[in-house]
PDB file of all heavy atoms in Angstrom:
ATOM      1  N   TRP A1887      26.512  42.881 -51.999  1.00 90.00           N
ATOM      2  CA  TRP A1887      27.479  43.918 -51.752  1.00 90.00           C
ATOM      3  C   TRP A1887      28.041  43.790 -50.324  1.00 90.00           C
ATOM      4  O   TRP A1887      29.261  43.869 -50.119  1.00 90.00           O
ATOM      5  CB  TRP A1887      26.795  45.307 -51.911  1.00 90.00           C
ATOM      6  CG  TRP A1887      27.631  46.437 -51.454  1.00 90.00           C
ATOM      7  CD1 TRP A1887      28.905  46.807 -51.831  1.00 90.00           C
ATOM      8  CD2 TRP A1887      27.284  47.415 -50.429  1.00 90.00           C
ATOM      9  NE1 TRP A1887      29.319  47.899 -51.164  1.00 90.00           N
ATOM     10  CE2 TRP A1887      28.366  48.324 -50.313  1.00 90.00           C
ATOM     11  CE3 TRP A1887      26.127  47.593 -49.658  1.00 90.00           C
ATOM     12  CZ2 TRP A1887      28.307  49.390 -49.390  1.00 90.00           C
ATOM     13  CZ3 TRP A1887      26.073  48.643 -48.751  1.00 90.00           C
ATOM     14  CH2 TRP A1887      27.163  49.533 -48.624  1.00 90.00           C
ATOM     15  N   ARG A1888      27.196  43.519 -49.338  1.00 87.00           N
ATOM     16  CA  ARG A1888      27.645  43.373 -47.978  1.00 87.00           C
ATOM     17  C   ARG A1888      28.504  42.135 -47.795  1.00 87.00           C
ATOM     18  O   ARG A1888      29.564  42.164 -47.102  1.00 87.00           O
ATOM     19  CB  ARG A1888      26.439  43.255 -47.039  1.00 87.00           C
ATOM     20  CG  ARG A1888      25.693  44.566 -46.851  1.00 87.00           C
ATOM     21  CD  ARG A1888      26.503  45.583 -46.079  1.00 87.00           C
ATOM     22  NE  ARG A1888      25.716  46.766 -45.782  1.00 87.00           N
ATOM     23  CZ  ARG A1888      26.198  47.865 -45.201  1.00 87.00           C
ATOM     24  NH1 ARG A1888      27.462  47.912 -44.831  1.00 87.00           N
ATOM     25  NH2 ARG A1888      25.450  48.893 -44.960  1.00 87.00           N
ATOM     26  N   ARG A1889      28.176  41.084 -48.546  1.00 87.00           N
ATOM     27  CA  ARG A1889      28.995  39.869 -48.521  1.00 87.00           C
ATOM     28  C   ARG A1889      30.405  40.139 -49.026  1.00 87.00           C
ATOM     29  O   ARG A1889      31.423  39.757 -48.439  1.00 87.00           O
ATOM     30  CB  ARG A1889      28.352  38.784 -49.361  1.00 87.00           C
ATOM     31  CG  ARG A1889      27.266  37.990 -48.718  1.00 87.00           C
ATOM     32  CD  ARG A1889      26.838  36.900 -49.696  1.00 87.00           C
ATOM     33  NE  ARG A1889      25.679  36.164 -49.266  1.00 87.00           N
ATOM     34  CZ  ARG A1889      25.774  35.116 -48.444  1.00 87.00           C
ATOM     35  NH1 ARG A1889      26.923  34.738 -47.965  1.00 87.00           N
ATOM     36  NH2 ARG A1889      24.681  34.450 -48.084  1.00 87.00           N
ATOM     37  N   CYS A1890      30.419  40.753 -50.207  1.00 87.00           N
ATOM     38  CA  CYS A1890      31.707  40.990 -50.875  1.00 87.00           C
ATOM     39  C   CYS A1890      32.632  41.950 -50.114  1.00 87.00           C
ATOM     40  O   CYS A1890      33.838  41.898 -50.244  1.00 87.00           O
ATOM     41  CB  CYS A1890      31.467  41.547 -52.308  1.00 87.00           C
ATOM     42  SG  CYS A1890      30.667  40.325 -53.367  1.00 87.00           S
ATOM     43  N   THR A1891      32.031  42.855 -49.319  1.00 85.00           N
ATOM     44  CA  THR A1891      32.816  43.799 -48.558  1.00 85.00           C
ATOM     45  C   THR A1891      33.063  43.314 -47.141  1.00 85.00           C
ATOM     46  O   THR A1891      33.751  43.967 -46.358  1.00 85.00           O
ATOM     47  CB  THR A1891      32.071  45.142 -48.473  1.00 85.00           C
ATOM     48  OG1 THR A1891      30.794  45.002 -47.922  1.00 85.00           O
ATOM     49  CG2 THR A1891      32.030  45.776 -49.898  1.00 85.00           C
ATOM     50  N   GLY A1892      32.549  42.108 -46.795  1.00 81.00           N
ATOM     51  CA  GLY A1892      32.746  41.547 -45.435  1.00 81.00           C
ATOM     52  C   GLY A1892      32.118  42.374 -44.339  1.00 81.00           C
ATOM     53  O   GLY A1892      32.650  42.400 -43.203  1.00 81.00           O
ATOM     54  N   SER A1893      30.977  43.010 -44.634  1.00 79.00           N
ATOM     55  CA  SER A1893      30.385  43.936 -43.674  1.00 79.00           C
ATOM     56  C   SER A1893      29.542  43.248 -42.616  1.00 79.00           C
ATOM     57  O   SER A1893      29.173  43.886 -41.617  1.00 79.00           O
ATOM     58  CB  SER A1893      29.548  44.972 -44.407  1.00 79.00           C
ATOM     59  OG  SER A1893      30.300  45.670 -45.340  1.00 79.00           O
ATOM     60  N   ILE A1894      29.186  41.995 -42.848  1.00 78.00           N
ATOM     61  CA  ILE A1894      28.318  41.269 -41.885  1.00 78.00           C
ATOM     62  C   ILE A1894      29.188  40.352 -41.068  1.00 78.00           C
ATOM     63  O   ILE A1894      29.867  39.478 -41.608  1.00 78.00           O
ATOM     64  CB  ILE A1894      27.213  40.483 -42.627  1.00 78.00           C
ATOM     65  CG1 ILE A1894      26.497  41.387 -43.608  1.00 78.00           C
ATOM     66  CG2 ILE A1894      26.271  39.881 -41.639  1.00 78.00           C
ATOM     67  CD1 ILE A1894      25.402  40.707 -44.420  1.00 78.00           C
ATOM     68  N   LYS A1895      29.118  40.513 -39.778  1.00 75.00           N
ATOM     69  CA  LYS A1895      30.007  39.749 -38.852  1.00 75.00           C
ATOM     70  C   LYS A1895      29.251  38.542 -38.336  1.00 75.00           C
ATOM     71  O   LYS A1895      28.018  38.471 -38.325  1.00 75.00           O
ATOM     72  CB  LYS A1895      30.423  40.644 -37.667  1.00 75.00           C
ATOM     73  CG  LYS A1895      31.197  41.897 -38.060  1.00 75.00           C
ATOM     74  CD  LYS A1895      31.506  42.732 -36.872  1.00 75.00           C
ATOM     75  CE  LYS A1895      32.265  43.996 -37.251  1.00 75.00           C
ATOM     76  NZ  LYS A1895      31.435  44.884 -38.114  1.00 75.00           N
ATOM     77  N   SER A1896      30.023  37.590 -37.886  1.00 72.00           N
ATOM     78  CA  SER A1896      29.426  36.455 -37.174  1.00 72.00           C
ATOM     79  C   SER A1896      29.249  36.839 -35.721  1.00 72.00           C
ATOM     80  O   SER A1896      30.066  37.592 -35.143  1.00 72.00           O
ATOM     81  CB  SER A1896      30.399  35.257 -37.260  1.00 72.00           C
ATOM     82  OG  SER A1896      29.928  34.218 -36.377  1.00 72.00           O
ATOM     83  N   SER A1897      28.207  36.343 -35.090  1.00 62.00           N
ATOM     84  CA  SER A1897      27.947  36.678 -33.682  1.00 62.00           C
ATOM     85  C   SER A1897      29.045  36.120 -32.793  1.00 62.00           C
ATOM     86  O   SER A1897      29.258  36.633 -31.682  1.00 62.00           O
ATOM     87  CB  SER A1897      26.586  36.106 -33.233  1.00 62.00           C
ATOM     88  OG  SER A1897      26.562  34.700 -33.426  1.00 62.00           O
ATOM     89  N   LEU A1898      29.771  35.124 -33.291  1.00 56.00           N
ATOM     90  CA  LEU A1898      30.906  34.572 -32.532  1.00 56.00           C
ATOM     91  C   LEU A1898      32.079  35.562 -32.431  1.00 56.00           C
ATOM     92  O   LEU A1898      32.949  35.400 -31.568  1.00 56.00           O
ATOM     93  CB  LEU A1898      31.394  33.283 -33.163  1.00 56.00           C
ATOM     94  CG  LEU A1898      30.335  32.114 -33.214  1.00 56.00           C
ATOM     95  CD1 LEU A1898      30.940  30.927 -33.967  1.00 56.00           C
ATOM     96  CD2 LEU A1898      29.905  31.734 -31.826  1.00 56.00           C
ATOM     97  N   GLU A1899      32.095  36.526 -33.334  1.00 57.00           N
ATOM     98  CA  GLU A1899      33.192  37.488 -33.319  1.00 57.00           C
ATOM     99  C   GLU A1899      33.036  38.550 -32.226  1.00 57.00           C
ATOM    100  O   GLU A1899      33.928  39.302 -31.932  1.00 57.00           O
ATOM    101  CB  GLU A1899      33.267  38.228 -34.673  1.00 57.00           C
ATOM    102  CG  GLU A1899      33.600  37.286 -35.841  1.00 57.00           C
ATOM    103  CD  GLU A1899      33.607  38.018 -37.155  1.00 57.00           C
ATOM    104  OE1 GLU A1899      33.900  39.227 -37.152  1.00 57.00           O
ATOM    105  OE2 GLU A1899      33.349  37.360 -38.205  1.00 57.00           O
ATOM    106  N   LEU A1900      31.789  38.600 -31.657  1.00 54.00           N
ATOM    107  CA  LEU A1900      31.516  39.589 -30.627  1.00 54.00           C
ATOM    108  C   LEU A1900      31.294  38.897 -29.286  1.00 54.00           C
ATOM    109  O   LEU A1900      30.581  37.871 -29.224  1.00 54.00           O
ATOM    110  CB  LEU A1900      30.222  40.395 -30.991  1.00 54.00           C
ATOM    111  CG  LEU A1900      30.280  41.141 -32.301  1.00 54.00           C
ATOM    112  CD1 LEU A1900      28.947  41.848 -32.568  1.00 54.00           C
ATOM    113  CD2 LEU A1900      31.381  42.158 -32.337  1.00 54.00           C
ATOM    114  N   LEU A1901      31.879  39.349 -28.255  1.00 45.00           N
ATOM    115  CA  LEU A1901      31.702  38.804 -26.927  1.00 45.00           C
ATOM    116  C   LEU A1901      30.325  39.170 -26.374  1.00 45.00           C
ATOM    117  O   LEU A1901      29.767  40.188 -26.707  1.00 45.00           O
ATOM    118  CB  LEU A1901      32.807  39.329 -25.979  1.00 45.00           C
ATOM    119  CG  LEU A1901      34.245  38.929 -26.381  1.00 45.00           C
ATOM    120  CD1 LEU A1901      35.234  39.647 -25.427  1.00 45.00           C
ATOM    121  CD2 LEU A1901      34.465  37.438 -26.308  1.00 45.00           C
ATOM    122  N   PRO A1902      29.785  38.314 -25.497  1.00 51.00           N
ATOM    123  CA  PRO A1902      28.469  38.594 -24.925  1.00 51.00           C
ATOM    124  C   PRO A1902      28.440  39.972 -24.202  1.00 51.00           C
ATOM    125  O   PRO A1902      27.404  40.600 -24.131  1.00 51.00           O
ATOM    126  CB  PRO A1902      28.258  37.438 -23.916  1.00 51.00           C
ATOM    127  CG  PRO A1902      29.109  36.335 -24.449  1.00 51.00           C
ATOM    128  CD  PRO A1902      30.275  37.003 -25.089  1.00 51.00           C
ATOM    129  N   SER A1903      29.557  40.408 -23.698  1.00 48.00           N
ATOM    130  CA  SER A1903      29.607  41.687 -22.999  1.00 48.00           C
ATOM    131  C   SER A1903      29.787  42.854 -23.931  1.00 48.00           C
ATOM    132  O   SER A1903      29.749  44.007 -23.518  1.00 48.00           O
ATOM    133  CB  SER A1903      30.744  41.705 -21.965  1.00 48.00           C
ATOM    134  OG  SER A1903      32.020  41.456 -22.611  1.00 48.00           O
ATOM    135  N   ASP A1904      29.988  42.570 -25.252  1.00 51.00           N
ATOM    136  CA  ASP A1904      30.232  43.610 -26.228  1.00 51.00           C
ATOM    137  C   ASP A1904      28.964  44.500 -26.362  1.00 51.00           C
ATOM    138  O   ASP A1904      27.873  43.960 -26.671  1.00 51.00           O
ATOM    139  CB  ASP A1904      30.635  43.013 -27.560  1.00 51.00           C
ATOM    140  CG  ASP A1904      31.268  44.046 -28.476  1.00 51.00           C
ATOM    141  OD1 ASP A1904      30.827  45.211 -28.482  1.00 51.00           O
ATOM    142  OD2 ASP A1904      32.270  43.725 -29.181  1.00 51.00           O
ATOM    143  N   GLU A1905      29.116  45.784 -26.190  1.00 52.00           N
ATOM    144  CA  GLU A1905      27.954  46.693 -26.278  1.00 52.00           C
ATOM    145  C   GLU A1905      27.353  46.665 -27.707  1.00 52.00           C
ATOM    146  O   GLU A1905      26.173  46.943 -27.892  1.00 52.00           O
ATOM    147  CB  GLU A1905      28.427  48.103 -25.941  1.00 52.00           C
ATOM    148  CG  GLU A1905      28.578  48.341 -24.453  1.00 52.00           C
ATOM    149  CD  GLU A1905      27.259  48.174 -23.664  1.00 52.00           C
ATOM    150  OE1 GLU A1905      26.220  48.634 -24.175  1.00 52.00           O
ATOM    151  OE2 GLU A1905      27.282  47.534 -22.627  1.00 52.00           O
ATOM    152  N   ARG A1906      28.154  46.333 -28.732  1.00 52.00           N
ATOM    153  CA  ARG A1906      27.644  46.312 -30.099  1.00 52.00           C
ATOM    154  C   ARG A1906      26.522  45.303 -30.306  1.00 52.00           C
ATOM    155  O   ARG A1906      25.698  45.436 -31.202  1.00 52.00           O
ATOM    156  CB  ARG A1906      28.788  46.083 -31.097  1.00 52.00           C
ATOM    157  CG  ARG A1906      29.755  47.243 -31.197  1.00 52.00           C
ATOM    158  CD  ARG A1906      30.877  46.890 -32.184  1.00 52.00           C
ATOM    159  NE  ARG A1906      31.700  45.860 -31.651  1.00 52.00           N
ATOM    160  CZ  ARG A1906      32.692  45.236 -32.307  1.00 52.00           C
ATOM    161  NH1 ARG A1906      32.946  45.641 -33.552  1.00 52.00           N
ATOM    162  NH2 ARG A1906      33.439  44.323 -31.768  1.00 52.00           N
ATOM    163  N   LEU A1907      26.527  44.225 -29.424  1.00 53.00           N
ATOM    164  CA  LEU A1907      25.490  43.253 -29.576  1.00 53.00           C
ATOM    165  C   LEU A1907      24.104  43.786 -29.271  1.00 53.00           C
ATOM    166  O   LEU A1907      23.122  43.252 -29.749  1.00 53.00           O
ATOM    167  CB  LEU A1907      25.754  42.089 -28.613  1.00 53.00           C
ATOM    168  CG  LEU A1907      26.633  40.924 -29.133  1.00 53.00           C
ATOM    169  CD1 LEU A1907      26.853  39.895 -28.079  1.00 53.00           C
ATOM    170  CD2 LEU A1907      25.994  40.283 -30.392  1.00 53.00           C
ATOM    171  N   ARG A1908      24.054  44.889 -28.526  1.00 56.00           N
ATOM    172  CA  ARG A1908      22.735  45.451 -28.169  1.00 56.00           C
ATOM    173  C   ARG A1908      22.205  46.296 -29.351  1.00 56.00           C
ATOM    174  O   ARG A1908      21.019  46.632 -29.314  1.00 56.00           O
ATOM    175  CB  ARG A1908      22.896  46.313 -26.898  1.00 56.00           C
ATOM    176  CG  ARG A1908      23.354  45.570 -25.686  1.00 56.00           C
ATOM    177  CD  ARG A1908      23.482  46.533 -24.508  1.00 56.00           C
ATOM    178  NE  ARG A1908      22.241  47.108 -24.161  1.00 56.00           N
ATOM    179  CZ  ARG A1908      22.077  48.130 -23.344  1.00 56.00           C
ATOM    180  NH1 ARG A1908      23.145  48.665 -22.743  1.00 56.00           N
ATOM    181  NH2 ARG A1908      20.893  48.628 -23.078  1.00 56.00           N
ATOM    182  N   ASN A1909      23.015  46.611 -30.288  1.00 59.00           N
ATOM    183  CA  ASN A1909      22.570  47.511 -31.356  1.00 59.00           C
ATOM    184  C   ASN A1909      22.798  46.972 -32.744  1.00 59.00           C
ATOM    185  O   ASN A1909      22.971  47.692 -33.709  1.00 59.00           O
ATOM    186  CB  ASN A1909      23.277  48.903 -31.222  1.00 59.00           C
ATOM    187  CG  ASN A1909      22.986  49.586 -29.901  1.00 59.00           C
ATOM    188  OD1 ASN A1909      21.838  49.829 -29.575  1.00 59.00           O
ATOM    189  ND2 ASN A1909      24.008  49.897 -29.117  1.00 59.00           N
ATOM    190  N   VAL A1910      22.907  45.669 -32.838  1.00 64.00           N
ATOM    191  CA  VAL A1910      23.127  45.044 -34.192  1.00 64.00           C
ATOM    192  C   VAL A1910      21.786  44.901 -34.897  1.00 64.00           C
ATOM    193  O   VAL A1910      20.714  44.832 -34.284  1.00 64.00           O
ATOM    194  CB  VAL A1910      23.806  43.677 -34.045  1.00 64.00           C
ATOM    195  CG1 VAL A1910      25.152  43.826 -33.408  1.00 64.00           C
ATOM    196  CG2 VAL A1910      22.934  42.688 -33.280  1.00 64.00           C
ATOM    197  N   ASN A1911      21.912  44.892 -36.225  1.00 66.00           N
ATOM    198  CA  ASN A1911      20.753  44.638 -37.083  1.00 66.00           C
ATOM    199  C   ASN A1911      19.583  45.624 -36.868  1.00 66.00           C
ATOM    200  O   ASN A1911      18.439  45.272 -37.055  1.00 66.00           O
ATOM    201  CB  ASN A1911      20.247  43.207 -36.938  1.00 66.00           C
ATOM    202  CG  ASN A1911      21.308  42.172 -37.295  1.00 66.00           C
ATOM    203  OD1 ASN A1911      22.243  42.469 -38.045  1.00 66.00           O
ATOM    204  ND2 ASN A1911      21.132  40.947 -36.816  1.00 66.00           N
ATOM    205  N   LEU A1912      19.893  46.803 -36.514  1.00 65.00           N
ATOM    206  CA  LEU A1912      18.916  47.867 -36.358  1.00 65.00           C
ATOM    207  C   LEU A1912      18.701  48.546 -37.712  1.00 65.00           C
ATOM    208  O   LEU A1912      19.698  48.669 -38.471  1.00 65.00           O
ATOM    209  CB  LEU A1912      19.272  48.892 -35.283  1.00 65.00           C
ATOM    210  CG  LEU A1912      19.135  48.465 -33.839  1.00 65.00           C
ATOM    211  CD1 LEU A1912      19.655  49.592 -32.956  1.00 65.00           C
ATOM    212  CD2 LEU A1912      17.651  48.191 -33.551  1.00 65.00           C
ATOM    213  N   PRO A1913      17.539  48.980 -38.047  1.00 64.00           N
ATOM    214  CA  PRO A1913      17.334  49.753 -39.299  1.00 64.00           C
ATOM    215  C   PRO A1913      18.272  50.920 -39.396  1.00 64.00           C
ATOM    216  O   PRO A1913      18.385  51.681 -38.422  1.00 64.00           O
ATOM    217  CB  PRO A1913      15.857  50.151 -39.245  1.00 64.00           C
ATOM    218  CG  PRO A1913      15.224  49.205 -38.323  1.00 64.00           C
ATOM    219  CD  PRO A1913      16.269  48.825 -37.300  1.00 64.00           C
ATOM    220  N   GLY A1914      18.926  51.059 -40.505  1.00 58.00           N
ATOM    221  CA  GLY A1914      19.827  52.200 -40.741  1.00 58.00           C
ATOM    222  C   GLY A1914      21.148  52.042 -40.016  1.00 58.00           C
ATOM    223  O   GLY A1914      21.925  52.968 -39.909  1.00 58.00           O
ATOM    224  N   SER A1915      21.425  50.829 -39.479  1.00 56.00           N
ATOM    225  CA  SER A1915      22.687  50.620 -38.785  1.00 56.00           C
ATOM    226  C   SER A1915      23.894  50.703 -39.688  1.00 56.00           C
ATOM    227  O   SER A1915      24.979  51.035 -39.239  1.00 56.00           O
ATOM    228  CB  SER A1915      22.707  49.244 -38.065  1.00 56.00           C
ATOM    229  OG  SER A1915      22.409  48.226 -38.963  1.00 56.00           O
ATOM    230  N   ALA A1916      23.701  50.411 -40.991  1.00 53.00           N
ATOM    231  CA  ALA A1916      24.712  50.645 -42.004  1.00 53.00           C
ATOM    232  C   ALA A1916      26.119  50.149 -41.640  1.00 53.00           C
ATOM    233  O   ALA A1916      27.075  50.852 -41.605  1.00 53.00           O
ATOM    234  CB  ALA A1916      24.788  52.143 -42.335  1.00 53.00           C
ATOM    235  N   GLY A1917      26.173  48.849 -41.323  1.00 54.00           N
ATOM    236  CA  GLY A1917      27.454  48.247 -41.073  1.00 54.00           C
ATOM    237  C   GLY A1917      27.529  47.470 -39.773  1.00 54.00           C
ATOM    238  O   GLY A1917      28.326  46.579 -39.676  1.00 54.00           O
ATOM    239  N   ASN A1918      26.689  47.763 -38.812  1.00 71.00           N
ATOM    240  CA  ASN A1918      26.670  47.062 -37.521  1.00 71.00           C
ATOM    241  C   ASN A1918      25.747  45.843 -37.670  1.00 71.00           C
ATOM    242  O   ASN A1918      24.687  45.804 -37.108  1.00 71.00           O
ATOM    243  CB  ASN A1918      26.209  47.993 -36.445  1.00 71.00           C
ATOM    244  CG  ASN A1918      26.565  47.420 -35.033  1.00 71.00           C
ATOM    245  OD1 ASN A1918      27.357  46.474 -34.958  1.00 71.00           O
ATOM    246  ND2 ASN A1918      25.956  47.944 -34.027  1.00 71.00           N
ATOM    247  N   LEU A1919      26.170  44.908 -38.519  1.00 77.00           N
ATOM    248  CA  LEU A1919      25.339  43.760 -38.884  1.00 77.00           C
ATOM    249  C   LEU A1919      25.917  42.449 -38.445  1.00 77.00           C
ATOM    250  O   LEU A1919      27.173  42.257 -38.497  1.00 77.00           O
ATOM    251  CB  LEU A1919      25.113  43.744 -40.389  1.00 77.00           C
ATOM    252  CG  LEU A1919      24.505  45.007 -41.036  1.00 77.00           C
ATOM    253  CD1 LEU A1919      24.526  44.925 -42.506  1.00 77.00           C
ATOM    254  CD2 LEU A1919      23.043  45.197 -40.519  1.00 77.00           C
ATOM    255  N   VAL A1920      25.067  41.527 -38.001  1.00 76.00           N
ATOM    256  CA  VAL A1920      25.521  40.217 -37.554  1.00 76.00           C
ATOM    257  C   VAL A1920      24.643  39.183 -38.214  1.00 76.00           C
ATOM    258  O   VAL A1920      23.412  39.354 -38.328  1.00 76.00           O
ATOM    259  CB  VAL A1920      25.426  40.109 -36.051  1.00 76.00           C
ATOM    260  CG1 VAL A1920      25.673  38.663 -35.545  1.00 76.00           C
ATOM    261  CG2 VAL A1920      26.377  41.057 -35.363  1.00 76.00           C
ATOM    262  N   TRP A1921      25.269  38.077 -38.685  1.00 78.00           N
ATOM    263  CA  TRP A1921      24.475  36.980 -39.316  1.00 78.00           C
ATOM    264  C   TRP A1921      23.517  36.402 -38.285  1.00 78.00           C
ATOM    265  O   TRP A1921      23.782  36.292 -37.113  1.00 78.00           O
ATOM    266  CB  TRP A1921      25.441  35.890 -39.797  1.00 78.00           C
ATOM    267  CG  TRP A1921      26.218  36.255 -41.029  1.00 78.00           C
ATOM    268  CD1 TRP A1921      27.576  36.488 -41.054  1.00 78.00           C
ATOM    269  CD2 TRP A1921      25.762  36.428 -42.346  1.00 78.00           C
ATOM    270  NE1 TRP A1921      27.965  36.791 -42.358  1.00 78.00           N
ATOM    271  CE2 TRP A1921      26.844  36.755 -43.148  1.00 78.00           C
ATOM    272  CE3 TRP A1921      24.462  36.314 -42.946  1.00 78.00           C
ATOM    273  CZ2 TRP A1921      26.736  36.990 -44.512  1.00 78.00           C
ATOM    274  CZ3 TRP A1921      24.343  36.527 -44.302  1.00 78.00           C
ATOM    275  CH2 TRP A1921      25.465  36.847 -45.070  1.00 78.00           C
ATOM    276  N   GLY A1922      22.359  35.962 -38.828  1.00 72.00           N
ATOM    277  CA  GLY A1922      21.409  35.211 -38.029  1.00 72.00           C
ATOM    278  C   GLY A1922      21.844  33.737 -37.868  1.00 72.00           C
ATOM    279  O   GLY A1922      22.925  33.366 -38.397  1.00 72.00           O
ATOM    280  N   PRO A1923      21.019  32.886 -37.324  1.00 73.00           N
ATOM    281  CA  PRO A1923      21.379  31.499 -37.093  1.00 73.00           C
ATOM    282  C   PRO A1923      21.421  30.666 -38.386  1.00 73.00           C
ATOM    283  O   PRO A1923      21.929  29.568 -38.436  1.00 73.00           O
ATOM    284  CB  PRO A1923      20.297  30.996 -36.128  1.00 73.00           C
ATOM    285  CG  PRO A1923      19.134  31.911 -36.334  1.00 73.00           C
ATOM    286  CD  PRO A1923      19.723  33.259 -36.623  1.00 73.00           C
ATOM    287  N   TRP A1924      20.803  31.208 -39.460  1.00 73.00           N
ATOM    288  CA  TRP A1924      20.740  30.507 -40.754  1.00 73.00           C
ATOM    289  C   TRP A1924      21.708  31.177 -41.721  1.00 73.00           C
ATOM    290  O   TRP A1924      21.494  32.363 -42.073  1.00 73.00           O
ATOM    291  CB  TRP A1924      19.312  30.477 -41.291  1.00 73.00           C
ATOM    292  CG  TRP A1924      19.169  29.803 -42.634  1.00 73.00           C
ATOM    293  CD1 TRP A1924      19.504  30.309 -43.840  1.00 73.00           C
ATOM    294  CD2 TRP A1924      18.749  28.467 -42.849  1.00 73.00           C
ATOM    295  NE1 TRP A1924      19.262  29.367 -44.805  1.00 73.00           N
ATOM    296  CE2 TRP A1924      18.823  28.201 -44.197  1.00 73.00           C
ATOM    297  CE3 TRP A1924      18.303  27.408 -42.021  1.00 73.00           C
ATOM    298  CZ2 TRP A1924      18.442  26.988 -44.811  1.00 73.00           C
ATOM    299  CZ3 TRP A1924      17.948  26.213 -42.590  1.00 73.00           C
ATOM    300  CH2 TRP A1924      17.984  26.020 -43.944  1.00 73.00           C
ATOM    301  N   ARG A1925      22.687  30.453 -42.193  1.00 78.00           N
ATOM    302  CA  ARG A1925      23.626  31.003 -43.180  1.00 78.00           C
ATOM    303  C   ARG A1925      24.241  29.920 -43.997  1.00 78.00           C
ATOM    304  O   ARG A1925      24.689  28.909 -43.470  1.00 78.00           O
ATOM    305  CB  ARG A1925      24.700  31.818 -42.418  1.00 78.00           C
ATOM    306  CG  ARG A1925      25.736  32.462 -43.332  1.00 78.00           C
ATOM    307  CD  ARG A1925      26.923  33.017 -42.581  1.00 78.00           C
ATOM    308  NE  ARG A1925      27.912  33.601 -43.475  1.00 78.00           N
ATOM    309  CZ  ARG A1925      29.121  34.017 -43.068  1.00 78.00           C
ATOM    310  NH1 ARG A1925      29.450  33.885 -41.797  1.00 78.00           N
ATOM    311  NH2 ARG A1925      29.947  34.514 -43.940  1.00 78.00           N
TER     312      ARG A1925
END
Side-chain angles (χ1 to χ4, degrees):
W1887 169 58
R1888 289 292 187 183
R1889 279 184 184 276
C1890 294
T1891 57
S1893 303
I1894 308 178
K1895 302 176 180 64
S1896 169
S1897 58
L1898 298 177
E1899 298 177 27
L1900 302 177
L1901 297 175
S1903 59
D1904 197 322
E1905 284 296 319
R1906 289 177 294 174
L1907 270 178
R1908 300 179 61 191
N1909 298 304
V1910 298
N1911 299 339
L1912 285 175
S1915 56
N1918 196 14
L1919 302 172
V1920 173
W1921 288 110
W1924 179 279
R1925 180 190 178 189

